[in-house]
Amino acid sequence: MEGGIHIEAKGLGALIRKPLLATESPFAAADNLVHSEDKNRKSLFNSWKSKTNNSFN
């Protein structure tokens, strides 16, 4: 692992790490990390859902 401070989020079998920038607060960085991962997972799920719905038509 490289040195420095990192923010980690663990849950549902996933571990997400991101370096903490000097200009970020830890709370804001953690919120942004979880929010961006949530948006990514919703996007992937909706993409998968639309493909499965289209295959039945």
Side-chain angles (χ1 to χ4, degrees), residues 11-23:
L12 299 174
L15 172 68
I16 310 163
R17 289 190 71 172
K18 172 185 163 301
L20 180 66
L21 302 175
T23 58

Side-chain angles (χ1 to χ4, degrees), residues 46-57:
N46 289 334
S47 172
W48 169 81
K49 193 168 112 177
S50 68
K51 286 180 183 179
T52 59
N53 286 342
N54 290 338
S55 67
F56 290 123
N57 292 334

Side-chain angles (χ1 to χ4, degrees), residues 7-10 16 18 27-42:
I7 297 290
E8 287 188 355
K10 297 178 185 179
I16 310 163
K18 172 185 163 301
F27 294 113
D31 285 345
N32 289 338
L33 180 64
V34 172
H35 179 68
S36 65
E37 182 62 23
D38 187 44
K39 281 177 40 179
N40 186 33
R41 287 177 184 245
K42 283 182 184 179

